[in-house]
């Protein structure tokens, strides 16, 4: 019996060693997970809170059926531009409105115009970007006008720079147009526009640069103008190009060009001495959905329901653009200002059904489909659900 008892005890040290090893691996894994989670929370411009909804990753999820539909219609919103008013131009299907974005581990609340206007009371918010940024601001105007109808305070001769004021809340909303974020000029050849651009990385576009000091919130975006022939200048040197074939100049591609322009813009914001307390949120790349051709070769977007997550490609150029933008925001945050991301790329990769397509009423480009911008109302409205969720997490300091 004695020998048997001893034999039973012998495996115990080995068992303890095994359990210790497993426990150590679990602790190391847990620490690694927490580190990655904390980094993502910093990306959202928040610190971990006790509330589970404040810790939720808003940008990872799926579209689920929601038959409540849109919070406005093309009849109830007077500020929809004609090219985004898809129903006015003959779009018949409406099922694309009956979906909502559902993050994996929480719910994203529907837009609350009163709550939004309370947060930005007495503040100025500007969208800095191109026509997709204008698309975004038009969605926001439709949603806010359900609570307070804004006053149209300024319109330039090209309908690019706009200012709206909400007098009850003393809130000012601006659209500051820019093609490239940095200073850029189109080459004129034989008296005609060439479609070739020179970008100067040492200087931001003054159209938004001179307005920066008066802003409390900035929603920054850009991308679609970079898909053309571009030469990047730094000082007196041409340092790179896009879609070119020139001796002694390297074609670095669209992602590189956008990275350099975005880095210059974020650096300018960080160096702004009169911008203390300002929050800058970058809206990530908004994908197009041309099928059977590009915009100028018969491409179309006729789908009527979202893609599933299995259908989208997270290895394509859209995701590469988004990843670069997130990297540049992380880089800028180390300099001291407050930056964050409205990460719409994954959600919008799943929405080939949300574009105007043929229903944009453009008399000058008949036969071309718009698979870049988004119908109003439409899935773009979720951008403002996400924006409000982020603003709730981090209001501007007084």
């Amino acid at each position: 019996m004695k020998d048997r008892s001893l034999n039973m005890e012998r495996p115990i040290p080995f068992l303890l060693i095994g359990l210790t090893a497993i426990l150590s691996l679990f602790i190391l894994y847990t620490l690694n997970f927490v580190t990655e989670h904390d980094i993502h929370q910093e990306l959202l411009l928040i610190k971990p809170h006790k509330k589970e909804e404040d810790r939720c990753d808003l940008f990872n999820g799926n579209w689920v059926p929601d038959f409540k539909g849109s919070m406005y219609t093309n009849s109830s919103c007077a500020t929809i531009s004609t090219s985004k008013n898809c129903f006015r131009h003959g779009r018949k299907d409406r099922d694309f409105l009956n979906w909502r974005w559902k993050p994996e581990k929480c719910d994203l609340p529907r837009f609350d115009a009163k709550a939004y206007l309370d947060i930005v009371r007495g503040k100025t918010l500007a969208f800095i970007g191109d026509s997709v940024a204008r698309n975004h601001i038009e969605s926001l105007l439709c949603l806010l006008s359900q609570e307070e109808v804004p006053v149209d305070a300024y319109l330039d001769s090209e309908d690019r720079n706009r200012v709206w004021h909400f007098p009850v809340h003393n809130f000012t909303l601006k659209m500051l147009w820019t093609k490239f974020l940095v200073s850029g000029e189109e080459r004129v050849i034989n008296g005609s526009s060439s479609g070739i651009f020179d970008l100067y990385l040492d200087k931001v576009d003054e159209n938004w640069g001179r307005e920066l000091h008066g802003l409390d919130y900035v929603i920054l975006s850009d991308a679609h103008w970079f898909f053309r022939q571009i030469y990047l200048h730094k000082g007196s040197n041409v340092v790179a190009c896009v879609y070119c074939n020139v001796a002694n100049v390297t074609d670095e591609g669209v992602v590189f060009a956008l990275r350099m322009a975005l880095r210059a813009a974020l650096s300018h914001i960080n160096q702004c001495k009169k911008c203390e307390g300002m929050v800058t949120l970058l809206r990530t790349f908004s994908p197009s959905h041309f099928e059977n051709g590009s915009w100028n070769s018969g491409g179309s977007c006729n789908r009527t329901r979202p893609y599933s997550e299995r259908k989208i490609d997270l290895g394509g150029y859209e995701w590469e653009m988004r990843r670069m933008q997130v990297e540049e925001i992380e880089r800028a945050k180390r300099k001291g200002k407050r930056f964050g991301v409205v990460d719409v790329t994954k959600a919008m990769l799943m929405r080939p059904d949300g574009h105007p397509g043929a229903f944009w009423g453009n008399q000058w480009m008949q036969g071309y489909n718009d698979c870049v911008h988004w119908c109003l109302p439409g899935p773009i409205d979720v951008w403002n659900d996400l924006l409000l969720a982020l603003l709730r997490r981090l209001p501007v300091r007084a």
Side-chain angles (χ1 to χ4, degrees):
M1 290 293 295
K2 182 177 180 181
D3 291 342
R4 184 178 178 183
S5 177
L6 287 173
N7 288 337
M8 290 175 64
E9 292 175 358
R10 282 172 186 162
I12 291 176
F14 297 99
L15 178 62
L16 289 174
I17 292 170
L19 289 172
T20 302
I22 292 170
L23 181 61
S24 299
L25 288 171
F26 174 77
I27 292 171
L28 287 172
Y29 172 80
T30 303
L31 288 173
N32 185 57
F33 172 80
V34 170
T35 301
E36 291 179 0
H37 177 76
D38 288 345
I39 289 172
H40 202 186
Q41 295 304 315
E42 288 298 321
L43 181 63
L44 296 179
L45 249 178
I46 64 171
K47 295 180 180 179
H49 296 288
K50 293 181 180 179
K51 293 182 179 179
E52 185 62 31
E53 60 266 28
D54 287 342
R55 298 175 62 87
C56 176
D57 179 359
L58 299 172
F59 311 128
N60 190 28
N62 280 284
W63 292 92
V64 298
D66 181 5
F67 295 100
K68 293 178 181 178
S70 174
M71 299 183 70
Y72 64 93
T73 70
N74 65 317
S75 299
S76 68
C77 180
T79 55
I80 299 177
S81 63
T82 184
S83 62
K84 314 307 181 301
N85 197 337
C86 303
F87 295 127
R88 177 181 175 182
H89 296 296
R91 181 163 184 170
K92 301 299 183 185
D93 68 293
R94 291 180 175 267
D95 287 345
F96 75 101
L97 299 179
N98 296 326
W99 300 85
R100 67 179 174 88
W101 179 247
K102 173 66 173 68
E104 280 191 357
K105 297 183 179 180
C106 64
D107 284 317
L108 176 65
R110 284 166 69 89
F111 191 85
D112 183 336
K114 185 179 186 303
Y116 186 100
L117 288 168
D118 284 342
I119 289 173
V120 297
R121 185 184 297 273
K123 306 297 184 182
T124 299
L125 182 151
F127 284 74
I128 297 173
D130 56 18
S131 59
V132 181
R134 175 66 177 269
N135 202 174
H136 187 179
I137 205 172
E138 288 172 346
S139 165
L140 180 59
L141 283 165
C142 286
L143 291 162
L144 293 179
S145 65
Q146 308 307 301
E147 178 69 21
E148 181 185 354
V149 177
V151 175
D152 211 339
Y154 176 76
L155 165 66
D156 71 6
S157 59
E158 297 182 327
D159 192 19
R160 289 189 166 179
N161 295 310
R162 297 287 299 269
V163 179
W164 297 267
H165 187 62
F166 294 77
V168 174
H169 294 83
N170 190 26
F171 168 55
T172 301
L173 182 61
K174 295 186 176 185
M175 176 67 215
L176 302 176
W177 174 273
T178 181
K179 295 176 181 176
F180 300 107
L181 297 177
V182 295
S183 178
E185 297 176 354
E186 185 173 6
R187 295 183 182 181
V188 176
I189 300 175
N190 298 324
S192 300
S193 299
S194 65
I196 302 171
F197 290 85
D198 292 288
L199 305 190
Y200 300 93
L201 299 175
D202 297 322
K203 184 180 180 182
V204 300
D205 185 344
E206 276 301 305
N207 190 54
W208 68 268
R210 62 173 172 261
E211 300 280 341
L212 197 60
H213 66 278
L215 304 177
D216 299 293
Y217 296 96
V218 167
I219 313 301
L220 193 69
S221 62
D222 207 8
H224 290 281
W225 278 87
F226 286 79
F227 290 89
R228 60 200 72 217
Q229 192 170 350
I230 289 171
Y231 292 84
L232 300 175
H233 299 254
K234 201 160 189 179
S236 58
N237 299 317
V238 177
V239 295
C241 64
V242 179
Y243 298 133
C244 69
N245 184 17
V246 179
N248 302 320
V249 181
T250 303
D251 186 341
E252 296 284 2
V254 172
V255 175
F256 176 85
L258 179 56
R259 182 190 291 275
M260 293 297 98
L262 178 58
R263 183 174 294 181
L266 296 176
S267 177
H268 182 80
I269 291 171
N270 258 324
Q271 293 170 18
C272 177
K273 296 180 179 179
K274 297 181 180 180
C275 299
E276 291 302 319
M278 186 179 77
V279 173
T280 301
L281 298 175
L282 173 71
R283 192 262 300 151
T284 61
F285 184 65
S286 170
S288 61
H289 290 91
F290 289 99
E291 296 186 69
N292 303 313
S294 59
W295 73 271
N296 60 352
S297 61
S300 61
C301 43
N302 300 322
R303 297 185 182 270
T304 57
R305 59 185 294 120
Y307 285 147
S308 67
E309 187 174 7
R310 296 189 303 273
K311 180 75 173 178
I312 64 174
D313 180 11
L314 296 182
Y317 78 91
E318 300 96 341
W319 201 249
E320 185 181 0
M321 298 277 274
R322 175 257 178 205
R323 183 170 56 247
M324 174 276 294
Q325 291 172 319
V326 171
E327 289 171 357
E328 289 303 310
I329 283 290
E330 284 295 294
R331 183 178 186 274
K333 282 173 63 177
R334 293 195 290 269
K335 306 294 183 179
K337 288 286 195 303
R338 295 197 296 169
F339 295 93
V341 171
V342 185
D343 189 352
V344 306
T345 307
K346 182 177 181 181
M348 304 316 282
L349 277 169
M350 299 184 196
R351 295 310 304 265
D353 55 331
H355 301 286
F359 305 108
W360 64 306
N362 194 310
Q363 299 176 359
W364 297 274
M365 296 181 67
Q366 292 184 4
Y368 291 88
N369 294 301
D370 183 358
C371 303
V372 173
H373 302 95
W374 304 91
C375 291
L376 294 174
I380 190 175
D381 294 324
V382 78
W383 298 7
N384 290 306
D385 296 340
L386 293 167
L387 176 57
L388 175 56
L390 293 179
L391 293 182
R392 278 173 159 161
R393 294 178 177 190
L394 186 67
V396 171
R397 291 176 292 204

